[in-house]
Amino acid sequence: MGLQRECFRNGRLNQGAALFMSFLLLGFWWPSFGETHLDTLRRNFANLRLGQFLHFGMNTFSNDNGTDLTNQDPAIYNPTSINPAQWVSAAKAGGIKFMVLVCKHHDGFALWDTKVTNPGATYNPYCCMNSRVPAAARKDVVKLFVQACKDSGIVPGLYYSVQDRTYGGQLYINTSDVLNASGVTNARVSRAALNFVFTQIKELLTNYGDIPFFVDDGWAWSLGHTIVPYQEFQDSLRKFGPNTLFSEHEGLFYPWHEDVIYYENSKGVWPPADQKYASWLSNKMGGAWFWLPTDAGKSPIAVSSFISTYLDRCDPVWCNVAPNLPPNRDGLIQDSYVAWLKQLGQSWTPPASRAQLPTQGPHMDWVITAVNATATSNTSNAHFVMDGVSDGGFADHYEQYMWSSSGALPQSATVDLGAAYYNIEMCSYLPKQIARQDTGGFDSSAVITGYRIYYSLDNTTFTPVTLSSGYTGTWTGDNTLKYALFTPVHARYMRLEATAVRSGSVATISELDFGGYTLKPTLTGAKIERADVPATPGHAIFRSSIITTINGRNG
C-alpha cells in the first residue's frame, strides 16, 4: 500500500504511479479495480461478498484441533492426492470470490517451501517439503493454491500465525504471561525470533506473486504488537506486499491495526447492525476448524439455513462471509462439501441493490511502535497504553489491560517512540473494550471526550500540536476507535492529555498510537531497542504491575 499512497500523495493523483498500479491490478486478480486508493481496495474487497476459509496442515492428520501439538514428525503429513485446483473448482461452483488458506497455524508447520529453520523442530525445514514427508505429498501447497486461484479468477488470501508453539518460548507467550502482576517481567522477543517471523512473512509475500489479502493470527491477542513490533511488520508489508490488504484476529469491532476486520463467528461474534467497515466473518462448517475423520461424508447446515443465518445478516452490512470448508486427509474437498458448494452457488446471488461500502475513516498507514510509556498518575501501569494487546470485546476476552488515571483531570500519558521522527501527523486512541457490542454495548464511563496532544524532542519541553480541520479536541463518548489528525511534527515523545471524560473523573487508555496517515514518518538517528531502556520506575516496560481487570459480559 506504499505504492497505493504514492498514487494519491498529499491528495493529488500521481499519474505515473497510478498508471503503473492500474496495470498491476487490472492484470492480476482483483476484479475491475480502476483506482488504487485504500478506500477503493476495501470497497472492492467488500464487493467480493462470498469467500471460503481453508484450514489444512499437520492438525488435519493428528486429530488435534485445540492445542496445536508441537514438533510433530513431518512423516505424519501425507495428503497423497492433494489438489488445490480441485478446491478452487469446487469453490467457483459455489460462487466463491476469495479463498483464505491457512499457511501456518499455531503449531508451526508450514505449507510452503520455507527456508527458515525452526529451532524447536526436530526435523527442519518444518514444512510440507521436508524429506520425511511422503514423496507424493511433498508439494508446495501455497504455490499450487495461489496458482489455482489465479487461473480461475479467484482472489487468494494467505493466513499466517505469528504465535508458533513449535518454536516455543518467545513465540508462545500469552497475554497473561507478558502482563500479569506476578508473571514475566520485561518480556522480550529476541532478534532471532523476530527474524524468523518476518522472514517467513517475506517468503509468503514475495515467492508467489502479488498476494491481495493477508491474514494474521496469534499476535494482537497473544504476543501483542509491541514485543513483536507491528511497525516492523507494517514496513515489510508496505515493501513486499504493496497491493495487499491486511486482516487480523484482533477481537475488535474497529480496524485498529488492520485494513479489514475479521469476525470469528465460532466465538458467538456477529458484525453489529450498524457495521460499516470492510470486514469478513467465518465459522467452521464441520466439527472443528481442521477436517476431522468424523466429518467424512457429512454436509454443513442446510444451504437455506446458511443463507438466512449468515448471508442475510452479514451481506447488508458489508461483511463478507467465508465458511470454513477444509480439505480432508487426501488433500481434497470431500464430495459432500463439493455438492453443498454447488447448491449454494445455485441458490444465492448477491443482491445488486446493496449500496457501495461507505467511505472509511482515517487509517494510520504507518504506526510507530513505542518503546516506553509514562503517565501523570498510576505510572506503574502506564505501559498498558503501548502493550500492543488488542483488548478485544469478543466473548473470550474478559481482561482489559489499560491505563486508568487517578486524581483530578487533566491527566496524561506519554509514549517514547525510541527516536525522533519527522512527519508524525496522527494519533489513535482505543478506549476500554468491555462486554460484547452485539449483545448489549460497552461501559463507556471513562472514555476520553476532551483531549490535547503535545510533542517533544527531549521529554521536557512539550508543545501542543495544531489539529487539522474538523478536529476540535473532542471525541464522542463511546468505545469506538478515535483518531486525531494534526500538522506533521518532528518528535520523539508524544503525549495525550485527557481534559474530560464521558462521566466520572477517571480516564482510561487501552491503546495509544502515533504515526502517519498521508506521510510516512522518517527516522532521524538510530531507534533504541526496548531492552536498552532503563528499567527504572520512570521507565517501566512490562514490569510487574497491577492490572486493571474488568469482566465483560458473556452474552
Side-chain angles (χ1 to χ4, degrees), residues 42 45 213 245-248 255 258-262 278-280:
R42 286 168 161 169
F45 176 81
F213 194 43
L245 285 172
F246 174 59
S247 183
E248 189 183 7
E258 59 184 349
D259 304 319
V260 177
I261 297 172
Y262 173 64
S279 56
W280 66 299

Side-chain angles (χ1 to χ4, degrees), residues 474-552:
T474 61
W475 283 316
T476 55
D478 56 31
N479 72 301
T480 58
L481 185 64
K482 317 295 184 189
Y483 292 107
L485 293 172
F486 45 86
T487 301
V489 299
H490 177 213
R492 171 171 170 171
Y493 302 90
M494 298 297 301
R495 173 175 294 170
L496 176 64
E497 181 180 74
T499 60
V501 295
R502 176 171 176 171
S503 62
S505 60
V506 176
T508 60
I509 300 175
S510 177
E511 292 298 319
L512 178 62
D513 288 305
F514 291 92
Y517 172 48
T518 61
L519 301 172
K520 180 179 180 179
T522 55
L523 184 69
T524 56
K527 181 168 182 172
I528 65 170
E529 295 290 334
R530 290 175 54 251
D532 297 334
V533 179
T536 67
H539 292 80
I541 306 176
F542 296 115
R543 295 169 61 85
S544 294
S545 55
I546 298 173
I547 295 177
T548 302
T549 302
I550 304 172
N551 290 325

Side-chain angles (χ1 to χ4, degrees), residues 353-368:
S353 58
R354 193 189 76 175
Q356 289 292 316
L357 179 74
T359 299
Q360 309 289 274
H363 184 270
M364 192 176 291
D365 275 3
W366 290 280
V367 176
I368 303 173

Side-chain angles (χ1 to χ4, degrees), residues 291 295-300 325 333-343:
W291 185 89
D295 292 330
K298 294 182 181 178
S299 295
L325 296 164
I333 302 297
Q334 64 183 25
D335 291 345
S336 59
Y337 289 177
V338 172
W340 187 87
L341 282 164
K342 183 177 181 180
Q343 184 182 355

Side-chain angles (χ1 to χ4, degrees), residues 166-245:
T166 290
Y167 194 104
Q170 297 173 3
L171 294 184
Y172 188 24
I173 303 171
N174 281 314
T175 299
S176 58
D177 297 324
V178 177
L179 301 175
N180 67 29
S182 59
V184 176
T185 61
N186 283 325
R188 295 290 187 273
V189 173
S190 68
R191 175 45 55 183
L194 294 177
N195 287 344
F196 173 84
V197 169
F198 294 129
T199 301
Q200 287 201 324
I201 290 173
K202 179 183 176 181
E203 288 177 338
L204 291 173
L205 291 176
T206 60
N207 289 357
Y208 307 102
D210 221 354
I211 302 299
F213 194 43
F214 190 81
V215 180
D216 198 272
D217 195 2
W219 192 7
W221 59 265
S222 174
L223 292 143
H225 282 185
T226 297
I227 64 172
V228 177
Y230 180 75
Q231 180 182 4
E232 191 166 341
F233 163 77
Q234 194 176 45
D235 286 348
S236 296
L237 184 67
R238 299 291 185 262
K239 180 178 180 180
F240 301 119
N243 310 318
T244 303
L245 285 172

Side-chain angles (χ1 to χ4, degrees), residues 390-454:
S390 56
D391 297 339
F394 287 5
D396 65 338
H397 286 69
Y398 302 115
E399 292 181 316
Q400 298 288 291
Y401 303 101
M402 59 190 174
W403 169 73
S404 298
S405 69
S406 62
L409 298 177
Q411 297 284 337
S412 65
T414 301
V415 294
D416 177 0
L417 303 178
Y421 286 85
Y422 287 99
N423 296 334
I424 301 171
E425 59 176 343
M426 189 175 191
C427 167
S428 73
Y429 158 57
L430 182 70
K432 62 181 179 181
Q433 305 292 301
I434 301 170
R436 288 185 28 217
Q437 179 170 311
D438 57 329
T439 57
F442 287 76
D443 172 12
S444 302
S445 60
V447 171
I448 297 172
T449 55
Y451 66 91
R452 288 190 286 260
I453 299 170
Y454 298 86

